[in-house]
Amino acid sequence: MTSLLVKSEQMPLAINLSSLTTMSKMSDRQFYDFCRTNPDLRIERNANGEIIVMPPAFADTGNRNGRVFGQLFVWSEADATGEAFDSSSGFTLPNGATRSPDAAWILSERWNALTPEQQASFAPIVPDFVVELRSSSDTLVSLKEKMEEYIANGVRLGLLIDRKNRQVYVYRPNREPEILDNPESVSCEPEMPMFALKMAKIW
């Protein structure tokens, strides 16, 4: 049976279930239809098949997300070895979870190996790089678990930005997370040559 885990920032959420004929565990197609039926919600699915419903980001979080993605996009266009993705992009991980990081980047050779149909779906690919920006509705524990899931599924570099405590957690495979206190910038080398995320306008 499908479970809906609703993360609310003390605001009502109207969830349209008309795309479902039953509340048994959603198939990939049903999940896709459910997301299309509820375009105003941010929706993820964990490895157990539970659907996680989040309200749209508050304006300040959306602004900071834009600043993160903007820096990534500018670097990606200049570097020309990969593709940058914003927070509306969903990816299906090997463990079956569908996740939408706040920003992501994938090497072009890996992205281009997908079929056009796969690219036009919740693409079955693990990003090389992901960023999660903590919002007021996020717990640090849940975001750390998500970052560990990303790394376990093949992400090579992940940044968890905790604006509340002005810390950045840097995740890499087979290492303990590195915790940076109030950094001015965060280097993403060697995975992403010459890319450093400037933090002044993200805090």
Side-chain angles (χ1 to χ4, degrees):
M1 181 174 184
T2 294
S3 298
L4 297 179
L5 307 180
V6 180
K7 295 177 62 178
S8 176
E9 296 177 273
Q10 298 186 349
M11 60 188 296
L13 295 176
I15 300 173
N16 187 336
L17 300 175
S18 62
S19 63
L20 302 179
T21 56
T22 137
M23 280 300 289
S24 62
K25 187 173 180 179
M26 287 187 196
S27 66
D28 289 345
R29 182 67 204 185
Q30 285 176 318
F31 178 65
Y32 176 75
D33 289 342
F34 177 70
C35 293
R36 291 188 63 189
T37 305
N38 296 278
D40 294 331
L41 299 177
R42 295 178 298 152
I43 303 171
E44 293 184 328
R45 179 170 56 172
N46 68 21
N48 297 322
E50 294 174 319
I51 308 304
I52 303 163
V53 179
M54 298 164 284
F58 285 159
D60 65 337
T61 300
N63 175 267
R64 289 346 189 263
N65 278 342
R67 294 177 186 274
V68 171
F69 175 72
Q71 291 186 53
L72 176 62
F73 180 79
V74 169
W75 171 84
S76 180
E77 289 293 287
D79 179 73
T81 63
E83 301 292 336
F85 299 85
D86 69 10
S87 60
S88 63
S89 307
F91 304 97
T92 303
L93 307 184
N95 68 353
T98 301
R99 297 296 189 183
S100 297
D102 290 320
W105 180 80
I106 300 173
L107 283 165
S108 294
E109 61 190 38
R110 297 183 60 238
W111 176 249
N112 293 333
L114 299 177
T115 66
E117 291 76 19
Q118 289 174 320
Q119 291 180 352
S121 67
F122 296 121
I125 189 171
V126 180
D128 292 282
F129 169 69
V130 297
V131 179
E132 289 287 352
L133 179 64
R134 184 183 181 188
S135 70
S136 58
S137 66
D138 292 320
T139 67
L140 196 54
V141 170
S142 66
L143 285 180
K144 286 180 177 180
E145 290 174 350
K146 185 183 286 189
M147 297 303 295
E148 289 166 3
E149 178 184 56
Y150 284 137
I151 296 299
N153 278 270
V155 167
R156 295 190 295 126
L157 174 63
L159 303 182
L160 167 54
I161 301 172
D162 179 7
R163 287 176 55 210
K164 181 177 180 180
N165 297 306
R166 285 184 170 253
Q167 291 181 319
V168 178
Y169 295 76
V170 182
Y171 286 78
R172 288 183 169 93
N174 304 314
R175 298 190 201 176
E176 288 297 313
E178 180 183 6
I179 304 173
L180 306 178
D181 289 307
N182 198 26
E184 292 184 5
S185 66
V186 179
S187 173
C188 295
E189 294 187 302
E191 294 86 356
M192 305 167 73
M194 301 184 69
F195 179 52
L197 190 65
K198 297 177 177 61
M199 300 301 298
K201 293 186 177 181
I202 296 172
W203 297 129

